[in-house]
Amino acid sequence: MADPAAEEQAQHGAELCCECGQFHLLPDNHLYNFQNEVDDELICHICLQPLLQPMDTPCGHTYCFKCLENFMQEYNFCPMDRKKLSLQQCHKSSLLVRNLLDKLVVICPFKAECQQTMQRCELEAHLQNRCPGFKKYRCELQRKRSPVSKGKEEPLTKVEMTTARDPEVPRDPEVPSGGSTLVAESSAAAVVSLGTAEPGLVNPAFEEIEEDVPQRASPVAETSTIEIHREDPEEELGMRIVGGKDTPLGNIVVQEVLRDSVIAADGRIAPGDHILEVNGVNISSVTHCQAVSFLRHPGPVLHLMVLQEKGFSNKTAQQDSTSATNQEVIHVTLIKRDRSEPLGIKLIRKTDEAGIFILDLLEGGLAAKNGKLSRNDRVLSINGQDLRQGTPETAAQIIQTSESRVNFVVLRQPGVQLLDPGEDGSTSNNSSSSSGGGSPVHHRRRLEQSHYRRKSNYQKELPPGYISHEKTVAIKKEPKESLGITIGGGRDNKNKLPIYVTSVQPIGCLFRDGRIKRGDVLLSINGIDLTHLNYYEAVSALKSNAASHSVILKALEILSADPTDLCLDISERGFSWSPLWITWLGLPSYLHCCQDIVLSKGNQESWGFSIVGGFEESKGNQPFFIKTIVPGTPACRNARLKCGDEIVAVNGVPAVGMSNAELIPMLKEQKNKVTLTVVSWPGSLV
């Protein structure tokens, strides 16, 4: 350790911080060992250390947030010029200043075992994922806390210590500097093991297994820089995002890629990817609204740095990485004259390798005429849908539902012959599929995805910072006068949303009244309940009641402690307006629609997802959210579970009020089957 008095500090109540790796009291600022002398302009003149969470005063001075907060509890003036001051007058320093501070080079505090240097914002991820000294410390701590059973030591659990985090402290994912080369064009990549979770991260995906069972290594992820080109600089990217530092998710995560969008055509970004940078700006520690603003900014070229899950590594991973240098990622676009035109591609699975491969191109078919696809190409994605762990049936369905453009991203390794179809351990009915106009050979059963209102024992208080205000609006009007609103949502919507106002037109009586606003959730009109209706039923109810001389509307307005969080007025060009993902987090529980998702796994599998949230003393009750879904696992194969989904219950037991330590055993105890009750909100469109 860097501090020789560590043991003495531990005895005096200081704890080893999981973010900075130093012993200090949790309410105190983090401690760092800086490699070089820091410019005086970046020093806090209260603690005389480089600034943490810098706050600017109206008189032009900058201090650490915690230093200033503690000072203002006793005094009402600026420490430097003694001008009258209150904490409410201060504001966060500019993004430029915060980035300069984050990039200060620090030395790993575990000097004996690790001599690494890195940017300050990368230290936490280094400690959690790569530092041998911190790993050794955790092992020793676990050894002291856990009894030895069955004559051998229990493996260290992947659930880390949870510390009281200040919500303003940046938690940047690591951008590692070494690893194998990513087989994708225009991408600088590195491999990082995600076997160790960040503090507060429940990782059923990364559960340890018995020593006598052949083990897979930790899940592997890669950071890649992706360049997106737009012919129209104003065109939407076509993806939905969740997360932000103002939510338990922390990072910005891709929830969905829209079909036929710019992102889908590129084919390299998939649901579950974490977006770390936009055009060189670090967004891994910004609020949800700030991230939306960055990603909606128009421009012909967009540079994104993303962290992508690649599934579990295994013993042959090193061999695979060396052969990967000979592989090539190829983008191919096929244009159908009409929706039913077949592409003439035969797809198949292999027994020894995940994914889908091209078995054959039918002579005279669209793909054969195009000439860019080849036998044995591995299909990585079609129209932006990730198929690295997919099936031929899934691929065929995507192709058949495509309008005109079908965008393939394939991986090609020269000189490798395709296995005979008979080598797949199953019959041709479920191992291959054709991209012709008909259905796949094997017809999958489509189960009804039943949704239901959130039960009373599943309900929760609104998250901190949200207020919901119910209002009743009574209006006298002319019978032929329009209400003048447009609506969205409805229980027939994919996410089973309530009816909400998308616009208030200046020609109607509601605009004149002024109390109904865009984003309000409509509860009833003239006593008719709107909360259970689909879109068309709601339109009909509103139109029929608008013919009356008087209208009584009940509506719900969702408010945030920070008004800028919910009123980001950036138009969704080409799309009708819809609330941001973060808005739905403030919707009262009685308006939620839940669904039960059943996952099944083998004895040697893990569930394949990680979650964040839960009760913490410093933050109170927070919802549990799905943060990571690992390719090739039960959670990924299910296809209904998405990043950003809220876990309401596990096997019928409510998760509300639980801490990480309570939910972890419940998930690990489920051997082969688990039922997750979840609420899913649509991510913000960018």
Side-chain angles (χ1 to χ4, degrees), residues 13 161 388 458 563:
M161 299 171 293
R388 289 170 292 183
Y458 290 172

Side-chain angles (χ1 to χ4, degrees), residues 13-72:
E15 296 183 20
L16 184 73
C17 175
C18 295
E19 294 184 40
C20 68
Q22 305 270 15
F23 282 97
H24 64 79
L25 296 174
L26 289 180
D28 292 347
N29 266 341
H30 298 299
L31 304 174
Y32 297 96
N33 301 331
F34 292 91
Q35 184 181 42
N36 304 311
E37 186 175 346
V38 179
D39 192 298
D40 189 60
E41 296 294 326
L42 299 177
I43 297 294
C44 169
H45 290 280
I46 297 178
C47 67
L48 301 181
Q49 297 294 320
L51 290 158
L52 280 168
Q53 303 164 251
M55 298 288 290
D56 294 339
T57 67
C59 51
H61 299 106
T62 306
Y63 306 98
C64 301
F65 171 76
K66 288 186 179 179
C67 295
L68 188 60
E69 184 182 43
N70 292 335
F71 185 87
M72 297 304 298

Side-chain angles (χ1 to χ4, degrees), residues 93-101:
S93 299
S94 68
L95 184 62
L96 175 64
V97 172
R98 300 202 303 272
N99 283 343
L100 285 173
L101 288 162

Side-chain angles (χ1 to χ4, degrees), residues 181-190 222-227 268 308:
T181 304
L182 175 65
V183 286
E185 56 188 29
S186 306
S187 61
E222 295 174 349
T223 54
S224 311
T225 300
I226 296 174
E227 190 173 278
R268 287 175 287 174
Q308 298 178 310

